[in-house]
Amino acid sequence: MHLVENNICPRDILTEKAFKNAMASDMALGCSTNSILHLLAIAHEAGVKIELETINEISERTPNLCHLAPVGNYHIEDLNDAGGIQALLKELSKKDLIDTSLPTVTGETVFENIKNVKNKNTDVLRDIENPHSITGGIAILYGNIAENGSVVKRSAVDETMLKHEGPARVFDSEEDAIKSIYSREIKEGDIVVIRYEGPKGGPGMREMLAPTSALAGMKLDKSVALITDGRFSGASRGASIGHVSPEAAAGGNIAYIKENDIISIDIPNKKIELKVTNEELAKRKSEMSLKPKKELTGWLKRYSKLVTSANTGAVLE
């Protein structure tokens, strides 16, 4: 975030424009789904109201200029050698995709910081006229599974999986899902659903690199999707859809998915749907009980009670 170097509280100077600059930069980089969680939490603490739909709007107009590992063959040190984040900002400024008038910690504006910067390697950091894609790295999906939204790193999704429909394989913990993957119980076309791993259900929304790595290791990352109310590592790839909100532990519809239910994923159109009727969902809610993982005590019990789902940044009420 672009903050003035003085004694003013960041809460007073973190503006919606600064948030949008940060988000546009993230989209151009290809970004991590974790960034959505963090930026929403920062905006909340600063008193700036940001909706998930704002992220879709920014993503739609911001080209993806950089494919760092695991999506591409370049790493953060390569981006640094190409000119770093300042060079990225310079590319975005060519099409007025960021507000260059904002002050920064240098005491200068964004414009003053980047005016003499050059992109030294257009293979690592593509020119704004030659992006990897015309849209950013993140998409927010909505539907009856994720009424308040879910997040996917679409820049890391194989083209064949941008639209996918398949049977649900349902697990109430990360460990159970990993065991099933390594036991070869997951088949091409399946959609792995991991629930009760959100902020409230975890509790704490731990990072789930292991299931996505397991799918990649079993050569299933281009044929199997993963849906969870948990979150992922920046190293994840494939059709990994996280941050499902409301989460299972909060009574979200992900808690009522049954084995072999058909799920439809449409990333270009920002949709994720469980193919059952509203009447069937209502029936399941009356018949199925939520499944907290374990009896919690102390701080974790208080945290689980007070934390909100990922669409808010998993902040405490």
Side-chain angles (χ1 to χ4, degrees):
M1 293 298 178
H2 306 288
L3 308 176
V4 178
E5 190 181 41
N6 54 27
N7 293 323
I8 300 175
C9 175
R11 181 186 299 274
D12 296 328
I13 57 176
L14 178 62
T15 66
E16 185 174 345
K17 287 182 179 180
F19 175 91
K20 289 180 177 179
N21 269 14
M23 199 67 255
S25 303
D26 212 22
M27 291 297 173
L29 278 174
C31 53
S32 166
T33 50
N34 280 321
S35 63
I36 305 301
L37 193 68
H38 300 324
L39 286 171
L40 288 172
I42 292 169
H44 172 81
E45 290 300 313
V48 179
K49 187 173 178 58
I50 298 293
E51 304 291 346
L52 272 179
E53 191 53 43
T54 302
I55 293 165
N56 265 346
E57 293 168 5
I58 295 170
S59 185
E60 284 304 306
R61 64 173 181 260
T62 308
N64 180 206
L65 303 180
C66 198
H67 272 185
L68 300 180
V71 179
N73 296 320
Y74 298 110
H75 299 83
I76 193 68
E77 59 267 31
D78 299 310
L79 175 62
N80 182 67
D81 292 341
I85 298 301
Q86 288 190 330
L88 178 82
L89 293 173
K90 183 66 171 288
E91 292 294 340
L92 293 176
S93 73
K94 293 176 182 178
K95 288 197 173 183
D96 296 322
L97 294 172
I98 58 169
D99 187 334
T100 58
S101 69
L102 291 176
T104 74
V105 293
T106 67
E108 307 289 346
T109 64
V110 175
F111 172 79
E112 291 167 324
N113 284 345
I114 66 174
K115 63 182 179 181
N116 296 319
V117 173
K118 297 186 183 299
N119 182 355
K120 301 174 184 177
N121 190 332
T122 55
D123 290 328
V124 176
L125 175 60
R126 289 199 175 184
D127 186 275
I128 194 74
E129 300 294 344
N130 181 37
H132 289 286
S133 65
I134 61 173
T135 56
I138 291 286
I140 309 300
L141 311 184
Y142 294 93
N144 61 357
I145 293 176
E147 294 176 306
N148 293 339
S150 59
V151 182
V152 62
K153 185 176 178 179
R154 63 178 169 189
S155 61
V157 179
D158 189 81
E159 287 189 6
T160 61
M161 291 294 289
L162 290 173
K163 291 186 177 183
H164 179 70
E165 189 168 292
R169 305 299 310 279
V170 184
F171 304 93
D172 291 336
S173 73
E174 176 186 14
E175 289 83 0
D176 287 347
I178 294 170
K179 181 179 178 181
S180 185
I181 294 168
Y182 282 133
S183 297
R184 301 185 182 276
E185 295 170 3
I186 304 301
K187 307 300 182 185
E188 290 187 6
D190 285 348
I191 297 180
V192 175
V193 176
I194 305 177
R195 58 195 181 190
Y196 295 103
E197 292 287 8
K200 188 181 294 290
M205 204 178 184
R206 58 181 170 167
E207 195 173 69
M208 290 193 292
L209 175 60
T212 55
S213 296
L215 288 172
M218 303 297 284
K219 308 298 183 185
L220 292 172
D221 54 309
K222 294 184 179 180
S223 61
V224 171
L226 192 156
I227 298 171
T228 182
D229 51 11
R231 66 189 181 99
F232 301 110
S233 160
S236 297
R237 62 182 185 272
S240 301
I241 300 164
H243 303 202
V244 168
S245 301
E247 64 175 290
N253 287 338
I254 189 173
Y256 304 105
I257 300 173
K258 291 185 176 181
E259 189 80 0
N260 292 318
D261 278 348
I262 300 300
I263 295 175
S264 174
I265 299 168
D266 186 344
I267 294 174
N269 290 306
K270 319 295 191 305
K271 294 180 180 179
I272 181 168
E273 291 286 339
L274 176 65
K275 309 291 274 189
V276 302
T277 64
N278 291 335
E279 291 76 16
E280 172 62 19
L281 264 179
K283 180 183 177 184
R284 292 182 185 185
K285 289 181 179 181
S286 68
E287 296 174 348
M288 296 172 64
S289 299
L290 299 182
K291 300 177 182 178
K293 283 186 176 177
K294 55 189 175 182
E295 190 65 31
L296 299 173
T297 60
W299 168 249
L300 283 180
K301 184 175 182 179
R302 281 181 285 165
Y303 173 85
S304 183
K305 183 177 180 179
L306 296 174
V307 72
T308 60
S309 291
N311 65 297
T312 65
V315 298
L316 298 181
E317 292 180 324

